[in-house]
Structure formats: structure tokens, C-alpha cells
């Protein structure tokens, strides 16, 4: 297991200008992180090869690996021209990932107001073709592309697997977020067990969970079926984090584990405590 942090965890500080991306890399290294996952939010990275070079060099200087590059994408476009343009844009992001020196890259696949399985099935072939073209392009750089279980439309473990099998490329897998399954009201332990064999990298995230008839007020959002959710410090939320990590550890998974903090607490504090909890739980698990 190689434990590190997604730069998204420090988004509060990046957005406010308190920290630069270089500061974030230094901070993660100072916390004992073994890798950093690059998510271009809070700083302007897409198309900026000079910054990509600087990030790669700073990580090397601090002795940490850049594990993954994670970007947004949407192949459910209104026109064929927009579809082709989006595929080409993401290929350009693959070029940037190669410049960063990563071997893993996550790109989103689709957004839709219609979250039904009927709509998913109707668009699966089109989404798979886009992912297949990008995976084939990324293969020249030795990059494994992936879809994350988030965004509601492609978030259920079975939908993620359906897309992976439809793409049918060895270098197309899943960025497995252990927390995000609750956003579509799926049991996290079962869903992690289901999709772990297809994981290129594992995100560890926690949530507070409250019933749909008990509105907790500001700061919460709703799952697909109305359950109230709020980001938590890993190990302090309502997910069965010990069992989730036990499943991961006992599977023999020995890749990157990336902490994602999106709670309301101060981001450096929330991320630091989460890292400590992951290390402690991992060591305590038999």
C-alpha cells in the first residue's frame, strides 16, 4: 500500500490562495505522503506544460510519486462534432499526463439529468467508444486510463463494470472511490468488494449519513434516493471504514491509496487527521 493525497483535499487552501500547488506538494511530503494525485482544481493546469514540468520536478525533489492525473469530461454531447472535440480534448490531457510522468489517468465520462438505467444502457456504446479511443491513445505512453464512480450517472458499481467491459481494453480500469457509492445508495463494503479487481487506484473518502426524513440543514446534499450526506474526516464518518480497508488489504491490493477530504473542517487539519486514521486502521487490520 502506497498512501498519498489528492490535491483536491487541499482545495479550500488552493482556492483561497493560501497555498499554491507547489505548497501542496511540499505539505503532502511533510505529512509522510508517498504520492500526490494531481487534480487541476484551484490552479490552472490544463494546457500548461510548463507548470506540469514544474510539478513533476517538485515532486521528484521531495521524493514523492505523482500517482494519477484526474480530470473532468462529458461524452454525452448534443452534436457529433462536440463528441469528437471532447475526445480530442481529453487526448490533449493525456499528453499533459505523460508530461507529468504518470502511468494512471482518470477522466470523467458523462453527466445527465436522466439518471435512469434505460438512459445509461442507451448511451453505453457511445460512452465506451470514446473511452476506447482515449485508452488506445494513452497506451503509447504506458498510461492506464480509468473512470471513477462519481457524478451519479456512472456511479453504481455495476454501471462502472458495464462500461469497463464494454470498452474492453486492458488499460481502462476504475478509480475506485470507497465513499462515493453511498451517493447512489449502494452499500460501500459490497460495492468495493465488487469493483476492487478492476481498480487502478483507490480513493479513500468518508461521509456522514442521515435519513431522508431528518434534514440536518446547511452543508448537506442528497443521494439519488434522498439520503442526506456530508463529507467527513476519514475514520470519523458513518462509513464502515475499518471493514472497507480490511477488504482492500485482504484482497492483496498493493497500489496507490489516495486520501480525498471534502469535509467542512479546515482542509489541512481534516486531511492530516484522515491520513493518521488510514495508517492506524491499516496497521490494526488483520
Amino acid at each position: 500500500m502506497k498512501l498519498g493525497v489528492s490535491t483536491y483535499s487541499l482545495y479550500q487552501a488552493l482556492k483561497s490562495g493560501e497555498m499554491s500547488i507547489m505548497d501542496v506538494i511540499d505539505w503532502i511530503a511533510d505529512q509522510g505522503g508517498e504520492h500526490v494525485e494531481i487534480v487541476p482544481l484551484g490552479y490552472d493546469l490544463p494546457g500548461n506544460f510548463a507548470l506540469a514540468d514544474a510539478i513533476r520536478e517538485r515532486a521528484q525533489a521531495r521524493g514523492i510519486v505523482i500517482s494519477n492525473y484526474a480530470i473532468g469530461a462529458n461524452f454525452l454531447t448534443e452534436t457529433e462534432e462536440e463528441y469528437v472535440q471532447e475526445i480530442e480534448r481529453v487526448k490533449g490531457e493525456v499528453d499533459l499526463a505523460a508530461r507529468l510522468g504518470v502511468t494512471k489517468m482518470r477522466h470523467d465520462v458523462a453527466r445527465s439529468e436522466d439518471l435512469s438505467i434505460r438512459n445509461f444502457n442507451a448511451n453505453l456504446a457511445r460512452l465506451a467508444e470514446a473511452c476506447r479511443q482515449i485508452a488506445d491513445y494513452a497506451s503509447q505512453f504506458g498510461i492506464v486510463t480509468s473512470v471513477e464512480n462519481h457524478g451519479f450517472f456512472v456511479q453504481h458499481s455495476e454501471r462502472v463494470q458495464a462500461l469497463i467491459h464494454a470498452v474492453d481494453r486492458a488499460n481502462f480500469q476504475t478509480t475506485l472511490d470507497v465513499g462515493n457509492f453511498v451517493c447512489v445508495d449502494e452499500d460501500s463494503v459490497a460495492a468495493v468488494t465488487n469493483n476492487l479487481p478492476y481498480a487502478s487506484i483507490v480513493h479513500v473518502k468518508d461521509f456522514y449519513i442521515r435519513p431522508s426524513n431528518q434534514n440536518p440543514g446547511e452543508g448537506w446534499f442528497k443521494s439519488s434516493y434522498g439520503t442526506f450526506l456530508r463529507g467527513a474526516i476519514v475514520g470519523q464518518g458513518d462509513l464502515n471504514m475499518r471493514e472497507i480497508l480490511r477488504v482492500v488489504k485482504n484482497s492483496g491490493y498493493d497500489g496507490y491509496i489516495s486520501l480525498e477530504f471534502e469535509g467542512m473542517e479546515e482542509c489541512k487539519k481534516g486531511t492530516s487527521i484522515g491520513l493518521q486514521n488510514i495508517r492506524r486502521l491499516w496497521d490494526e487490520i488483520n
Side-chain angles (χ1 to χ4, degrees):
M1 187 268 283
K2 303 171 185 68
L3 181 59
V5 178
S6 166
T7 61
Y8 174 61
S9 300
L10 284 302
Y11 177 65
Q12 291 177 11
L14 284 163
K15 184 179 180 182
S16 70
E18 176 191 347
M19 300 176 80
S20 69
I21 182 55
M22 301 305 174
D23 294 332
V24 169
I25 292 170
D26 288 340
W27 186 89
I28 293 169
D30 290 342
Q31 303 303 307
E34 298 175 83
H35 68 90
V36 56
E37 182 181 13
I38 300 298
V39 181
L41 292 173
Y43 52 102
D44 187 18
L45 182 57
N48 190 340
F49 284 82
L51 180 56
D53 290 342
I55 289 171
R56 185 187 68 247
E57 291 164 4
R58 178 61 67 91
Q60 289 173 344
R62 292 307 310 266
I64 62 175
V65 176
I66 301 177
S67 55
N68 194 40
Y69 179 47
I71 65 158
N74 180 23
F75 303 116
L76 284 186
T77 58
E78 292 186 3
T79 68
E80 186 66 22
E81 181 182 7
E82 290 172 334
Y83 177 73
V84 172
Q85 288 175 349
E86 183 70 342
I87 292 171
E88 291 306 308
R89 183 189 69 81
V90 176
K91 287 181 180 178
E93 294 279 39
V94 173
D95 293 336
L96 191 143
R99 195 70 169 255
L100 284 168
V102 302
T103 59
K104 302 180 189 301
M105 174 181 164
R106 182 218 85 189
H107 62 80
D108 290 339
V109 174
R111 297 186 299 273
S112 178
E113 293 296 318
D114 181 356
L115 302 178
S116 68
I117 188 65
R118 179 178 182 176
N119 189 38
F120 173 79
N121 287 336
N123 286 285
L124 178 57
R126 184 175 180 83
L127 299 180
E129 175 58 25
C131 295
R132 190 179 302 118
Q133 289 187 34
I134 294 160
D136 288 345
Y137 183 79
S139 65
Q140 67 183 304
F141 303 110
I143 292 175
V144 173
T145 57
S146 64
V147 59
E148 185 173 349
N149 53 307
H150 74 169
F152 292 96
F153 190 57
V154 189
Q155 192 152 343
H156 314 70
S157 62
E158 294 290 349
R159 292 193 189 189
V160 169
Q161 277 197 46
L163 179 63
I164 290 171
H165 294 312
V167 173
D168 193 25
R169 291 293 187 270
N171 69 320
F172 183 72
Q173 300 176 7
T174 183
T175 291
L176 176 58
D177 189 303
V178 306
N180 279 346
F181 292 112
V182 298
C183 302
V184 288
D185 302 280
E186 191 171 6
D187 177 75
S188 289
V189 174
V192 169
T193 303
N194 195 24
N195 277 13
L196 195 55
Y198 306 95
S200 62
I201 185 171
V202 172
H203 284 177
V204 177
K205 178 191 296 175
D206 208 344
F207 284 107
Y208 296 112
I209 304 172
R210 298 294 181 270
S212 60
N213 63 348
Q214 297 178 19
N215 187 345
E218 185 178 352
W220 298 68
F221 68 97
K222 290 184 177 183
S223 73
S224 293
Y225 293 102
T227 299
F228 286 99
L229 303 169
R230 178 161 74 83
I233 294 172
V234 170
Q236 296 188 359
D238 294 319
L239 297 186
N240 189 350
M241 194 57 63
R242 184 180 296 273
E243 180 62 12
I244 289 169
L245 292 178
R246 188 195 67 79
V247 167
V248 175
K249 185 174 183 178
N250 288 351
S251 75
Y253 177 84
D254 194 34
Y256 297 115
I257 289 181
S258 186
L259 169 65
E260 272 199 346
F261 169 72
E262 55 183 35
M264 295 177 69
E265 297 86 352
E266 194 278 324
C267 62
K268 295 190 297 299
K269 189 67 172 176
T271 302
S272 177
I273 295 171
L275 277 171
Q276 295 171 37
N277 284 341
I278 294 172
R279 289 191 184 104
R280 176 177 54 80
L281 290 170
W282 190 268
D283 289 343
E284 290 174 358
I285 291 166
N286 295 321

